[in-house]
Amino acid sequence: MLQKLRDKTSGWIVTVILGLLMIPFLFVIDSSYLGGVGSQNVAKVAAPPTWWKSAPSWWPVSFLWQHHEISSNDFRVRFEQARQQARQEQGEDFDPRQFESTESKLAVLDQMIDEQVVRLAGEQSGIVIGDGAVREYIASIPAFLDADGKFNQDNYRIALASGNPPRTPTQFEALVRESIQQSIIPSALQRSGFTTQSEAERLMKLLGETRDVELAALPETPADTAEVTDAQIKQWYDSHAKDFRQPETVSLEYVEINGANLPAPAAADEATLRKRYEDEKARFATPEQRLASHILISADGSDPAKLKAAEEKATRLAAQAKAPGADFAALAKANSEDPGSKDTGGDLGWVERGAMVKPFEDALFAMKAGEVTGPVKTDFGFHVLKLRETKGGEGRSFDEVRDQLAAEQLKADTDRVFTELSGRLVDLVYKNPTSLEGPAKDMSLPVQTIGPFTHATASGIAANPAVLRAAFSDILTQDGTVSDPIELGPNHNVMIRVTEHSPEQALPLAKAREQVIAAIHADRTRQASEKAVDAVLAKLKAGQTLQALATSDKLQISPLPGLPRTQPVPTPEINRAVFSAPLPAEGKPSYGKVAVQGRYVIYAVTKVTPGNVAEVDAAQQQQLKEQLSQIDGMAAAKAYVEAMRKHFKVQTEEANL
């Protein structure tokens, strides 16, 4: 039977049938196999093989292409890191909903794509990172070093395990290898930047440049009062629709719990205060300190013979130090191997608990004044200790700290009452998360209202950044649920619910009519002002002077000799316009206009004085050259990445972001 089946399923006919049957399966294969972005990825960077630079990207030749993909998980991790960084930088101004925008996600993805472009370029260039380079880089990371600045394996493993996300040493080494590979070419390009002396001098002349300027202010143009027709209103409204938007608004109801308004709890009785004193007596005692000296004999733990010799030496020194009349300081100067205390006779000064390694500390705080002990073994070697004096450790009496205890107990009781009240409100709200009325009534708290308001017009409790973010969040505006407690200050919380929400929308012409009319009048006034200033400019370019036109055109002329380029005077707008103007010809000023606070000002550049390079000291010149070289190098690195992006094939899948 099996033989007959085998005979009937062989031959070219069956081969053709099987080939046809395979075609449908190609359409269910993950698109990444056919040259697209995989279903679990957000982007893909691909390049033709180095041995076939002109290889087409269509299937099945795409199998030959080298590529790197950015997974959805990697993107989410990086995006979360960007979120945390933005939150730290912006503080209370951070808006999580705005950060979730497509633009923010694409900006993070774009950076990740650049990294993969550089990585792929490095691989195609044959760049390989050796194990030695990886180890050297890891050994230089401060988080992995001990107090002596040396790489510590324990610190390394603990830092990796507690990271976000946690990694094994193998995973971290792979990440470092990849990072080094990505950075080699851009770093080399950044270091390759250079600036010639003539380029630096040219920039110094520009930065130090001053210009002699005359400003002429025209009389204020009368406000337009001409009639505005319905047709003009409709035309302006239709052509400036974005200017007439009704911003998003919300109205809130809220319940506020403020500890400052709660009845003060009863003062604690004597028994409560005494119990608190007994429970916390240790914090009312001054720290015990011990005046210590030591002799250190260093020991190499890897060599048993040297370790034994060091211990024997320390034992002999301990015996000598215990002998009647022994000079401990002299023994320390002659024998101690601690460079920090040897010259001072082993003096360590006053020592508190927690300042020394545990074996040393345990021995020292078990001694009596004047006693010598040793050897005590630590990671540094063997110590001979001498306790010279003790002080501290005395406690303050109950009567001395009673007022402090009473104040602390009152605050603790106040905090407890507030916490219990807040917790009870939360419990009641969670039973019916779409209402504040019932919980507030049960607790005899008023339900207050505020709004409608926009982001810009919020006031009262709504002006608090945390309240404002919650009020316009999708959860509260769409679900109508009560928020979690929002902290306004110490022992001061509020819970809010959005009662009305109006999304941003076009303002109907009927409501925008007065705004449209005002905009038309303002535009007419601006056009009239610009027409007047253009008329004056035409006269100036025809050969007349500002002084000649001062009377006839009622110009207010203000001379500004020696205006510096690097200072925003008299205003940033005027300064930019003046230093963007062409150089004046011999005896002929360079004229222009600039709008300042709705009015036009004419400027005349009469003289340009380049900066004096000789006035810039050598150190400043060198610093400027280095900065210019860095800028040049960074521009080269950026241009390289952009060129590689054009050379490679970059695909993204925004739906997976």
Side-chain angles (χ1 to χ4, degrees):
M1 183 67 182
L2 292 175
Q3 183 62 38
K4 289 181 180 180
L5 182 63
R6 180 179 180 275
D7 294 340
K8 292 182 180 293
T9 55
S10 61
W12 67 272
I13 296 177
V14 175
T15 302
V16 171
I17 293 174
L18 290 174
L20 292 173
L21 289 172
M22 288 178 63
I23 291 175
F25 288 100
L26 294 177
F27 294 95
V28 298
I29 295 176
D30 191 322
S31 62
S32 64
Y33 290 102
L34 304 181
V37 181
S39 60
Q40 300 300 319
N41 300 318
V42 295
K44 176 180 178 180
V45 179
T50 54
W51 49 272
W52 188 5
K53 292 290 187 182
S54 59
S57 60
W58 38 260
W59 184 82
V61 182
S62 59
F63 282 109
L64 302 175
W65 280 48
Q66 292 177 266
H67 69 271
H68 288 299
E69 292 186 301
I70 301 172
S71 71
S72 299
N73 184 61
D74 288 342
F75 173 78
R76 283 193 293 269
V77 170
R78 180 67 69 85
F79 191 69
E80 184 59 30
Q81 291 172 347
R83 184 203 311 277
Q84 296 301 327
Q85 181 178 355
R87 189 186 299 276
Q88 291 176 357
E89 293 174 352
Q90 300 174 24
E92 291 294 332
D93 295 329
F94 178 72
D95 186 346
R97 187 169 63 164
Q98 182 178 354
F99 186 80
E100 287 287 343
S101 66
T102 302
E103 291 76 11
S104 297
K105 293 179 178 179
L106 290 177
V108 173
L109 179 60
D110 199 55
Q111 182 182 6
M112 297 181 73
I113 289 174
D114 283 348
E115 293 171 0
Q116 295 306 320
V117 165
V118 175
R119 178 185 174 190
L120 193 53
E123 291 175 356
Q124 292 213 316
S125 300
I127 296 175
V128 178
I129 308 302
D131 294 340
V134 174
R135 287 194 297 268
E136 182 179 350
Y137 183 87
I138 292 175
S140 67
I141 297 177
F144 306 150
L145 307 183
D146 58 20
D148 296 328
K150 297 180 180 179
F151 178 76
N152 185 290
Q153 190 71 28
D154 292 336
N155 290 352
Y156 176 49
R157 294 185 181 278
I158 292 172
L160 294 186
S162 59
N164 184 20
R167 291 185 175 92
T168 65
T170 302
Q171 291 172 330
F172 186 71
E173 288 165 14
L175 179 65
V176 169
R177 192 185 306 276
E178 180 181 313
S179 299
I180 296 175
Q181 186 183 49
Q182 289 176 3
S183 66
I184 280 185
I185 295 178
S187 297
L189 288 171
Q190 289 180 19
R191 292 192 299 271
S192 71
F194 69 93
T195 303
T196 64
Q197 183 62 28
S198 60
E199 288 174 329
E201 290 181 357
R202 178 174 176 273
L203 183 60
M204 282 185 276
K205 289 178 181 179
L206 284 174
L207 292 175
E209 179 184 296
T210 61
R211 295 191 171 194
D212 291 352
V213 181
E214 291 181 328
L215 298 181
L218 275 68
E220 187 172 357
T221 304
D224 176 73
T225 57
E227 181 184 359
V228 181
T229 66
D230 290 342
Q232 291 171 329
I233 293 173
K234 181 69 167 61
Q235 181 182 7
W236 185 275
Y237 175 82
D238 290 341
S239 59
H240 297 81
K242 291 183 179 180
D243 295 340
F244 305 104
R245 303 283 297 175
Q246 180 173 300
E248 181 182 17
T249 62
V250 294
S251 295
L252 303 179
E253 64 177 15
Y254 65 94
V255 172
E256 183 180 8
I257 301 179
N258 189 347
N261 299 331
L262 298 177
D269 57 26
E270 195 77 3
T272 301
L273 296 181
R274 286 193 176 276
K275 184 178 184 306
R276 187 182 184 97
Y277 174 76
E278 292 299 328
D279 292 341
E280 304 177 16
K281 185 181 293 186
R283 70 185 179 95
F284 298 114
T286 57
E288 183 180 1
Q289 295 180 316
R290 301 207 157 199
L291 186 61
S293 298
H294 83 139
I295 300 171
L296 171 65
I297 305 301
S298 301
D300 184 357
S302 62
D303 188 334
K306 291 183 178 179
L307 187 66
K308 183 177 181 181
E311 184 176 11
E312 291 175 349
K313 183 177 180 180
T315 301
R316 290 195 301 271
L317 288 170
Q320 295 176 37
K322 293 177 182 179
D327 189 341
F328 191 92
L331 287 172
K333 288 181 180 180
N335 298 281
S336 182
E337 296 173 11
D338 176 13
S341 66
K342 177 179 180 177
D343 293 339
T344 58
D347 182 23
L348 295 174
W350 289 99
V351 177
E352 294 183 13
R353 286 192 180 275
M356 298 295 181
V357 293
K358 192 173 187 306
F360 188 103
E361 183 179 282
D362 289 346
L364 180 62
F365 281 85
M367 297 169 63
K368 297 179 180 179
E371 187 178 354
V372 174
T373 190
V376 176
K377 187 178 183 303
T378 70
D379 292 339
F380 301 100
F382 293 94
H383 306 260
V384 178
L385 309 181
K386 180 175 182 179
L387 177 59
R388 290 145 55 196
E389 289 182 49
T390 63
K391 69 177 182 180
E394 301 88 3
R396 297 166 66 192
S397 68
F398 172 78
D399 291 336
E400 290 178 295
V401 298
R402 189 187 186 288
D403 291 344
Q404 178 183 343
L405 289 169
E408 292 173 353
Q409 187 64 44
L410 180 62
K411 184 179 184 306
D413 290 340
T414 302
D415 293 346
R416 176 179 51 77
V417 171
F418 174 81
T419 302
E420 290 176 353
L421 194 62
S422 298
R424 185 182 167 202
L425 177 62
V426 170
D427 291 341
L428 291 171
V429 167
Y430 282 174
K431 292 178 181 178
N432 183 9
T434 59
S435 173
L436 274 173
E437 288 287 348
K441 184 177 181 180
D442 288 348
M443 298 181 61
S444 301
L445 293 171
V447 176
Q448 304 178 69
T449 60
I450 187 172
F453 58 86
T454 67
H455 277 90
T457 61
S459 60
I461 65 113
N464 180 281
V467 174
L468 196 61
R469 283 196 301 271
F472 285 93
S473 67
D474 291 340
I475 295 177
L476 297 193
T477 56
Q478 294 176 12
D479 296 348
T481 54
V482 179
S483 72
D484 291 331
I486 302 172
E487 185 177 359
L488 303 180
N491 285 353
H492 190 186
N493 287 350
V494 66
M495 297 181 77
I496 66 172
R497 189 178 78 86
V498 176
T499 55
E500 292 183 16
H501 172 240
S502 175
E504 182 184 3
Q505 55 190 301
L507 194 64
L509 178 56
K511 291 185 177 181
R513 182 181 178 84
E514 294 303 320
Q515 296 180 36
V516 174
I517 293 174
I520 293 173
H521 283 312
D523 184 64
R524 288 176 179 176
T525 303
R526 182 195 61 77
Q527 291 184 34
S529 177
E530 189 169 15
K531 183 178 180 180
V533 79
D534 287 342
V536 175
L537 278 174
K539 295 177 185 178
L540 292 170
K541 293 176 180 179
Q544 298 189 54
T545 65
L546 280 175
Q547 287 71 22
L549 296 174
T551 302
S552 61
D553 289 84
K554 300 179 180 179
L555 305 180
Q556 297 178 355
I557 299 177
S558 303
L560 294 173
L563 189 68
R565 176 189 288 272
T566 55
Q567 298 179 20
V569 290
T571 70
E573 299 88 352
I574 293 176
N575 192 276
R576 281 194 297 269
V578 165
F579 283 93
S580 298
L583 298 178
E586 185 66 31
K588 188 175 181 181
S590 178
Y591 296 107
K593 65 181 179 181
V594 59
V596 181
Q597 296 179 349
R599 295 183 61 183
Y600 279 97
V601 174
I602 293 174
Y603 61 83
V605 180
T606 57
K607 181 181 178 182
V608 174
T609 305
N612 187 353
V613 178
E615 294 178 355
V616 183
D617 62 48
Q620 289 179 315
Q621 291 191 31
Q622 182 60 32
Q623 183 180 13
L624 179 62
K625 286 186 65 176
E626 291 174 356
Q627 291 174 344
L628 292 175
S629 297
Q630 290 176 0
I631 294 172
D632 181 64
M634 292 173 65
K638 182 180 179 182
Y640 170 78
V641 176
E642 291 174 349
M644 288 295 99
R645 284 191 69 151
K646 294 178 182 178
H647 179 67
F648 294 162
K649 183 178 180 180
V650 178
Q651 298 170 273
T652 60
E653 187 58 60
E654 292 187 21
N656 292 346
L657 291 176

